[in-house]
């Protein structure tokens, strides 16, 4: 990240976190009443056991539930009660999530509800009412609350640091106009509307200085659309990689930077109006720290990257140094009278993204932060909410004004989010969905309101109201988004795009997906075997799939191979080079377009299907998830993420799909003298007809011989239950039987059941006569030839025959191509 952007970020941090101090407004005096609390010092850490007699039990305390008696034995010892509190928070959160998941609510909503259940709304009230001898909750004693708060705030500090590591602000320069306009409008319009409303309320209600400060803070927090909140919501809804998800995340990032630019001037004006000495010293301190991070810390981290061998993990000592720097940066931001998360965020933005350093940090910290620390932080923040607390008369005006301003901000931001999408002719449902996402609230607002409450910037009544707005957003927005937006619906009603419906000798559009290095030569050789000519050309779209690691925003890149050269570094460098050479070897017969998608594995299918839809492809070629050794045919590795990806594509694709099981025996570009032997195992059905259509294209090459092995059931002829399928199969086989195309042989085998089919397939594999088998998946097709074999399939995505041909039991080197014809659907659902 460049120094100007970091400096601008520092200025924004002062606007958000440097409000008028409590002693200037007298707010601290009237927010808290004097309370005397006695604690043991030094604190006792380890207890003597749950059943020890050293702690006297107050006889006058009634405890019908037994809860207080249990916690009384623990509350005087910090470690046992802390372990009990964290365990209780985790258990309640998980149980709440199991219930709310039935209604489609994310885990964040469960954490909020768990905080209410453990706080004043639930357990806290029950415990205090069941034991009137205690005025405070013995499960969360006051002495231990500071320890729990420190742990939770440390977790949020690491969360902020990790998001800085994942965020690439440079992507803003590559963002389209739609995202830029949407992001800017969602900040400017509500900010203007809220400011105008605040001015009106100030004159109408004669607001006091402390009330104006609170409303200014609420305005600044509520107008933002923080990218961490948008990212978490899109991830929970599984639409991060969709067109709308990319637009929302890009708009949120633009909105974040727009808030920085707009508030920079306001911050400087605020600083100059106060005591000009201390604020300017603090601002200078953060600017110096930012420059130090950019010109000292970042070069050191780049040195760590250079010292790490390729393919090796980063040394643990490097990670330890960075973690020490994270908490040290928090001390510096605290010394500058800012929130402690500002320094770690600046440091995170300076970490080189991606592998090895950024990826290692995310891999080591992400699970602990998001699964352990953040639930504690969100839950304990919600436990501060007092549901039935009566608002003091002096605070009622501030609460009412807060309600009005938040409503104005929501309506204006919602309307502003609709402007650009509707002008770009986005469907109304999608535009409303985008507006809901942009107005959602999450963990950033939780942190802002909690810190503001703890530092007496806002009163309890305002805090309670704002926390309930977050709860309302977490409960309402996700179901509405799921109701209005289905990313798979764009494939519904799609026209027929498959091999059989293509005109003879027409341009064949194929999307080939690359997951690892050995996929490239296998797919190139397969496409070369498809015999591209000037009269029957192939338009190839290559999609290089890269797992998103240590980044928050998916990336989709369209490469211009005509302007590409070796000096232009790219993640897809080798892929571009290989397919460019393939295009040159088949000049006039093949045209190539290369794309790169950097996204999470669970969302890659949407990149594939969207590109296939946009480019009107007839076939998608996917590599199988297993990698075989070229020497002995044994399994070298498996990738479960690739298998899940293939199954999602088969379910969602808007065209035909082929899975290539490469065992290293797909011919090279220049065919050998003995030729290349291809076999099609044909049982009937649309998938088998699609597979035979692709095979017919291959026999235009004189070096390729095709054998069609037709497995028929003696009773399955004209008496077939589906005569139309039987007619189509025979029409497809007519050219093969007449041998009117290329070098083709036809073999018909009678099989009555699955056992004889298995024997035939085994004999084909044992003979090792063919280099490539092409079969149809035969999705949900029942026939006597495969009766009972479905239950024994290891990989249903390959179909019964494809699964047997790809079995690890056979050490043959024959590759397999399994084809599924496009499936017509009206609507997809998970």
């Amino acid at each position: 990240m460049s120094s100007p952007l970091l400096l601008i970020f520092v200025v924004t941090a002062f606007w958000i976190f440097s409000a008028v101090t409590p002693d200037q407004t007298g707010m601290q005096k009237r927010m808290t009443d004097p309370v005397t609390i006695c604690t043991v010092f030094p604190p006792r850490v380890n207890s003597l056991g749950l059943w020890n007699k050293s702690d006297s039990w107050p006889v006058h305390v009634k405890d019908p539930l037994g809860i207080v008696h249990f916690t009384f034995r623990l509350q005087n010892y910090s470690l046992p009660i802390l372990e009990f509190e964290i365990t209780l928070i985790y258990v309640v959160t998980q149980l709440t999530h199991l219930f709310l998941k039935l209604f489609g609510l994310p885990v964040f909503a469960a954490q909020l509800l768990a905080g209410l259940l453990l706080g004043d709304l639930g357990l806290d009230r029950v415990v205090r009412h069941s034991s009137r001898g205690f005025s405070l909750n013995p499960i969360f004693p006051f002495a231990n609350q500071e320890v729990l708060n420190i742990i939770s705030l440390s977790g949020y500090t690491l969360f902020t640091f990790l998001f800085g590591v994942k965020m690439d602000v440079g992507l803003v320069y590559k963002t389209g106009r739609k995202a830029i306009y949407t992001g800017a409008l969602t900040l400017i319009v509500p900010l203007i509307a809220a400011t105008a409303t605040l001015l009106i309320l100030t004159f109408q209600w004669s607001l006091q200085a402390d009330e104006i400060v609170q409303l200014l803070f609420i305005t600044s927090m509520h107008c933002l659309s923080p990218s961490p909140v948008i990212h978490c919501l899109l991830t929970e809804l599984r639409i991060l990689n969709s067109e709308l998800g990319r637009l929302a995340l890009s708009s949120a990032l633009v909105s974040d930077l727009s808030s920085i630019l707009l508030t920079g001037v306001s911050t400087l004006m605020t600083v100059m109006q106060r005591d000009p000495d201390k604020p300017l010293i603090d601002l200078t301190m953060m600017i110096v720290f930012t420059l130090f991070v950019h010109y000292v810390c970042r070069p050191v981290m780049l040195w760590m990257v250079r010292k790490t061998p390729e393919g090796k993990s980063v040394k643990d000592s490097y990670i330890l140094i960075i973690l020490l720097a994270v908490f040290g940066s928090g001390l510096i931001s605290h010394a500058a009278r800012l929130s402690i998360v500002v320094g770690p965020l600046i440091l995170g933005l300076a970490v080189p993204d991606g592998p090895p350093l950024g990826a290692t940090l995310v891999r080591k910290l992400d699970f602990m932060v998001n699964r352990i620390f953040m639930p504690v932080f969100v839950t304990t923040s919600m436990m501060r909410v007092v549901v039935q607390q009566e608002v003091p008369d002096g605070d009622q005006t501030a609460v009412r004004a807060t309600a009005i301003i938040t409503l104005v901000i929501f309506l204006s931001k919602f309307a502003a989010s609709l402007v650009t999408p509707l002008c770009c002719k986005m469907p109304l449902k999608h535009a409303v969905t985008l507006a809901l996402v942009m107005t959602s609230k999450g963990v950033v607002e939780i942190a802002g309101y909690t810190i503001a409450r703890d530092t007496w910037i806002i009163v309890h009544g305002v805090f309670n109201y704002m926390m309930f707005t977050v709860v309302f957003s977490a409960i309402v927005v996700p179901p509405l988004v799921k109701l209005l937006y289905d990313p798979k619906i764009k494939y519904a009603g799609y026209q027929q795009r498959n091999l059989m419906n293509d005109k003879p000798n027409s341009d064949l559009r194929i999307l080939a997906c690359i997951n690892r290095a050995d996929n490239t030569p296998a797919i190139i050789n397969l496409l070369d075997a498809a015999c591209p000519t000037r009269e029957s050309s192939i338009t190839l779209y290559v999609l290089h799939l890269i797992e998103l690691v240590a980044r928050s925003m998916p990336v989709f890149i369209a490469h211009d191979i005509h302007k590409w050269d070796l000096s232009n570094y790219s993640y897809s460098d080798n892929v571009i080079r290989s397919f460019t050479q393939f295009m040159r070897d088949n000049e006039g017969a093949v045209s190539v377009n290369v794309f790169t998608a950097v996204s999470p594995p669970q969302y890659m299918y949407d990149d594939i299907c969207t590109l296939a839809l946009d480019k009107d492809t007839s076939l998608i070629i996917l590599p199988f998830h297993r990698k075989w050794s070229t020497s002995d045919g044994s399994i070298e590795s498996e990738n479960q993420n690739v298998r899940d990806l293939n199954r999602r594509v088969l379910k969602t694709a808007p065209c035909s799909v082929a899975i290539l099981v490469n065992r290293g025996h797909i011919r090279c570009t220049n065919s050998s003298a003995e030729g290349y032997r291809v076999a099609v195992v044909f049982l009937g059905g649309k998938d088998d007809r699609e597979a035979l259509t692709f095979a017919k294209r291959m026999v235009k090459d004189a070096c390729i011989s095709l054998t069609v092995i037709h497995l028929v059931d003696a009773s399955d002829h004209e008496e077939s239950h589906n005569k139309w399928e039987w007619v189509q199969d025979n029409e497809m086989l007519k050219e093969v039987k007449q041998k009117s195309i290329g070098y083709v042989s036809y073999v018909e085998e009678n099989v009555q059941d699955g056992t004889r089919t298995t024997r035939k397939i085994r004999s084909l594999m044992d003979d090792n006569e063919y280099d490539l088998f092409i079969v149809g998946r035969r999705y949900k097709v029942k026939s006597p030839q495969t009766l009972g074999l479905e239950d024994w399939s290891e990989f249903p995505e390959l179909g019964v025959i494809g699964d047997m041909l790809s079995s690890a039991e056979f050490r043959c080197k024959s590759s397999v191509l399994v084809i599924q014809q496009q499936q017509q659907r009206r609507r997809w659902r998970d």
Side-chain angles (χ1 to χ4, degrees):
M1 186 178 180
S2 62
S3 296
L5 287 178
L6 284 173
L7 289 174
I8 294 173
F9 171 79
V10 173
V11 174
T12 302
F14 270 84
W15 180 68
I16 297 178
F17 296 104
S18 297
V20 178
T21 55
D23 56 346
Q24 289 178 314
T25 61
M27 190 185 306
Q28 181 176 357
K29 295 181 180 179
R30 68 181 186 81
M31 282 186 61
T32 57
D33 297 326
V35 177
T36 301
I37 298 177
C38 298
T39 59
V40 178
F41 186 84
R44 292 179 287 182
V45 179
N46 296 308
S47 70
L48 301 177
L50 183 61
W51 309 111
N52 72 86
K53 303 297 183 180
S54 60
D55 296 322
S56 59
W57 170 255
V59 181
H60 66 281
V61 175
K62 298 181 179 180
D63 182 26
L65 299 179
I67 299 176
V68 181
H69 182 270
F70 174 74
T71 56
F72 178 80
R73 298 294 184 185
L74 302 178
Q75 66 175 333
N76 292 327
Y77 304 96
S78 56
L79 182 59
I81 193 64
L82 178 63
E83 293 172 342
F84 177 72
E85 289 168 350
I86 294 178
T87 302
L88 183 63
I89 289 173
Y90 182 79
V91 171
V92 174
T93 300
Q94 293 302 312
L95 293 177
T96 307
H97 178 54
L98 289 176
F99 174 73
L100 295 182
K101 189 167 60 173
L102 301 175
F103 303 95
L105 295 177
V107 66
F108 178 67
Q111 295 167 0
L112 295 175
L113 184 57
L116 293 176
L117 293 177
L118 292 175
D120 183 71
L121 186 64
L123 185 62
D124 180 76
R125 184 178 298 273
V126 172
V127 170
R128 285 190 283 111
H129 279 260
S130 63
S131 56
R132 298 182 180 180
F134 287 99
S135 59
L136 299 176
N137 187 348
I139 298 180
F140 294 92
F142 180 83
N144 225 54
Q145 287 182 18
E146 288 301 317
V147 179
L148 196 60
N149 291 337
I150 290 173
I151 291 177
S152 61
L153 190 56
S154 300
Y156 181 69
T157 302
L158 291 174
F159 171 82
T160 308
F161 167 72
L162 281 182
F163 191 81
V165 173
K166 297 176 183 178
M167 187 167 62
D168 185 4
V169 183
L171 292 176
V172 175
Y173 301 115
K174 304 175 184 179
T175 303
R177 292 184 178 180
K178 188 188 299 185
I180 293 176
Y181 294 153
T182 303
L185 287 175
T186 53
L187 174 71
I188 297 173
V189 173
L191 188 61
I192 295 175
T195 304
T197 305
L198 178 58
L199 291 175
I200 295 174
L201 293 177
T202 301
F203 290 108
Q204 291 291 329
W205 292 357
S206 300
L207 299 179
Q208 302 299 318
D210 61 333
E211 296 171 338
I212 295 176
V213 169
Q214 296 180 70
L215 296 177
L216 284 173
F217 176 81
I218 296 300
T219 300
S220 66
M221 286 298 301
H222 219 63
C223 286
L224 300 179
S225 297
S227 47
V229 174
I230 305 299
H231 181 271
C232 293
L233 176 63
L234 296 175
T235 302
E236 288 281 355
L237 296 175
R238 300 180 182 179
I239 57 174
L240 179 65
N241 230 40
S242 64
E243 182 180 359
L244 187 141
R246 292 177 185 272
L247 176 59
L249 196 54
S250 301
S251 302
L253 190 58
V254 171
S255 178
D256 286 346
L257 295 183
S258 299
S259 65
I260 293 174
L261 296 173
L262 289 175
T263 58
V265 177
S266 301
T267 304
L268 293 176
M269 293 177 61
T270 304
V271 169
M272 297 306 298
Q273 288 177 359
R274 297 196 212 162
D275 183 6
D277 296 330
K278 290 184 178 180
L280 286 179
I281 293 174
D282 296 340
L283 182 60
T284 303
M285 183 187 303
M286 290 306 298
I287 292 176
V288 172
F289 170 72
T290 304
L291 295 175
F292 177 81
V293 167
H294 183 76
Y295 290 107
V296 178
C297 295
R298 182 172 174 83
V300 170
M301 289 185 282
L302 291 174
W303 175 83
M304 294 177 180
V305 172
R306 289 193 299 270
K307 286 295 183 179
T308 303
E310 186 175 357
K312 300 293 184 180
S313 59
V314 180
K315 292 182 180 179
D316 291 340
S317 58
Y318 296 164
I319 303 299
L320 179 60
I321 292 173
I322 293 176
L323 288 179
L324 291 176
V326 170
F327 292 106
S329 62
L331 291 176
I332 294 176
S333 58
H334 176 70
R337 298 191 299 180
L338 295 177
S339 172
I340 63 170
V341 302
V342 176
L345 180 57
I346 295 175
L347 184 64
L349 292 171
V351 175
D353 58 350
L357 187 57
T360 303
L361 286 169
V362 173
R363 185 176 66 252
K364 288 181 176 292
L365 299 177
D366 192 66
F367 178 84
M368 179 182 65
V369 170
N370 289 294
R371 299 298 180 89
I372 298 177
F373 284 142
M374 289 310 294
V376 174
F377 175 74
V378 176
T379 303
T380 54
S381 298
M382 284 303 301
M383 289 174 62
R384 291 172 166 84
V385 175
V386 181
V387 180
Q388 296 182 356
Q389 183 183 36
E390 184 178 353
V391 180
D393 295 336
D395 297 339
Q396 291 182 359
T397 302
V399 174
R400 289 197 299 267
T402 299
I404 295 175
I405 287 181
T406 53
L407 179 62
V408 170
I409 292 175
F410 170 77
L411 294 177
S412 57
K413 178 177 285 192
F414 189 88
S417 302
L418 294 174
V419 174
T420 303
L422 293 180
C423 291
C424 295
K425 299 181 179 179
M426 179 183 284
L428 180 60
K429 281 188 176 182
H430 293 184
V432 172
T433 304
L434 177 64
L436 288 172
V437 172
M438 296 302 294
T439 56
S440 61
K441 302 301 172 187
V443 67
V444 174
E445 286 81 8
I446 288 283
Y449 301 143
T450 302
I451 294 173
R453 172 196 176 276
D454 293 344
T455 53
W456 302 289
I457 295 176
I458 59 176
V459 295
H460 289 287
V462 173
F463 170 77
N464 292 342
Y465 177 82
M466 297 311 300
M467 295 294 276
F468 275 113
T469 61
V470 178
V471 174
F472 180 80
S473 174
I475 294 177
V476 173
V477 171
L480 287 179
V481 171
K482 288 184 177 181
L483 179 65
L484 294 173
Y485 182 70
D486 182 3
K488 299 178 184 178
I489 200 172
K490 58 186 175 184
Y491 310 123
Y494 185 64
Q495 60 180 333
Q496 289 188 349
R497 294 296 301 177
N498 51 62
L499 301 176
M500 290 184 61
N501 283 276
D502 285 348
K503 296 180 180 179
N505 296 326
S506 63
D507 180 57
L508 177 60
R509 292 173 172 263
I510 296 178
L511 172 59
C513 301
I514 305 295
N515 290 313
R516 56 177 188 262
D518 63 302
N519 297 151
T520 301
I523 290 179
I524 287 178
N525 293 330
L526 175 65
L527 295 173
D528 186 67
C531 192
T533 62
R534 292 180 180 271
E535 295 76 20
S536 182
S537 61
I538 293 178
T539 299
L540 179 62
Y541 301 96
V542 181
L543 181 59
H544 187 200
L545 300 167
I546 302 175
E547 182 178 356
L548 180 70
V549 179
R551 289 183 179 87
S552 60
M553 183 179 295
V555 179
F556 192 87
I557 305 171
H559 301 281
D560 189 350
I561 61 176
H562 299 289
K563 298 181 180 180
W564 175 86
D565 55 60
L566 293 176
S567 61
N568 297 329
Y569 172 77
S570 170
Y571 291 110
S572 305
D573 191 40
N574 295 329
V575 175
I576 296 174
R577 183 185 295 110
S578 300
F579 281 97
T580 301
Q581 185 61 44
F582 174 61
M583 182 177 66
R584 291 171 181 170
D585 294 339
N586 297 271
E587 187 175 359
V590 175
S591 62
V592 176
N593 301 274
V594 182
F595 303 85
T596 299
V598 184
S599 57
Q602 63 269 30
Y603 305 128
M604 286 180 179
Y605 78 96
D606 194 63
D607 287 322
I608 297 172
C609 296
T610 300
L611 184 60
L613 182 66
D614 293 340
K615 302 302 180 182
D616 289 335
T617 60
S618 299
L619 181 67
I620 299 173
I621 300 179
L622 302 170
F624 193 50
H625 69 279
R626 273 184 176 175
K627 181 181 179 181
W628 273 271
S629 172
T630 56
S631 58
D632 58 358
S634 61
I635 299 174
E636 281 190 0
S637 62
E638 293 190 29
N639 191 330
Q640 186 62 35
N641 289 333
V642 175
R643 186 189 179 193
D644 294 338
L645 171 65
N646 292 345
R647 290 190 292 187
R648 289 190 180 103
V649 174
L650 287 170
K651 182 180 178 181
T652 315
C655 62
S656 298
V657 182
I659 297 180
L660 176 60
V661 183
N662 175 32
R663 284 183 165 177
H665 207 176
I666 299 179
R667 74 167 190 169
C668 298
T669 304
N670 296 319
S671 300
S672 57
E674 67 267 16
Y676 187 68
R677 298 158 299 178
V678 179
V680 175
V681 181
F682 190 92
L683 280 76
K686 62 178 184 178
D687 290 349
D688 281 6
R689 294 193 294 270
E690 190 81 357
L692 185 56
T693 302
F694 185 80
K696 285 181 179 180
R697 185 185 181 96
M698 301 177 70
V699 296
K700 295 178 183 179
D701 191 334
C703 297
I704 297 180
S705 62
L706 174 63
T707 302
V708 178
I709 304 170
H710 189 191
L711 304 181
V712 299
D713 178 34
S715 61
D716 190 26
H717 288 287
E718 294 188 3
E719 294 81 7
S720 173
H721 65 281
N722 193 334
K723 293 185 178 181
W724 177 240
E725 288 287 335
W726 182 83
V727 170
Q728 292 184 87
D729 293 341
N730 277 273
E731 186 66 25
M732 178 62 65
L733 292 170
K734 184 181 295 184
E735 288 183 332
V736 176
K737 292 178 180 179
Q738 295 174 355
K739 299 182 180 180
S740 59
I741 53 170
Y743 188 75
V744 181
S745 59
Y746 175 78
V747 179
E748 187 172 299
E749 297 281 348
N750 289 324
V751 291
Q752 285 81 22
D753 51 30
T755 302
R756 298 195 179 186
T757 300
T758 304
R759 291 175 183 172
K760 179 60 181 177
I761 297 299
R762 285 182 176 273
S763 66
L764 293 175
M765 301 297 291
D766 292 338
D767 295 341
N768 206 15
E769 182 179 351
Y770 301 102
D771 302 310
L772 174 66
F773 286 97
I774 303 178
V775 299
R777 185 191 177 199
R778 307 187 78 244
Y779 179 67
K780 291 185 178 180
V781 176
K782 304 291 184 181
S783 64
Q785 298 97 314
T786 59
L787 185 63
L789 297 180
E790 295 88 350
D791 299 334
W792 297 93
S793 294
E794 184 179 6
F795 304 114
E797 63 269 23
L798 298 179
V800 174
I801 305 299
D803 181 75
M804 284 193 289
L805 293 172
S806 306
S807 175
E809 297 179 6
F810 305 107
R811 291 300 179 92
C812 69
K813 295 184 178 181
S814 302
S815 297
V816 183
L817 185 68
V818 181
I819 298 180
Q820 172 187 279
Q821 192 182 66
Q822 173 198 15
Q823 299 185 36
Q824 296 291 329
R825 309 176 182 86
R826 291 188 176 184
R827 186 177 179 87
W828 284 260
R829 294 192 182 275
D830 290 331

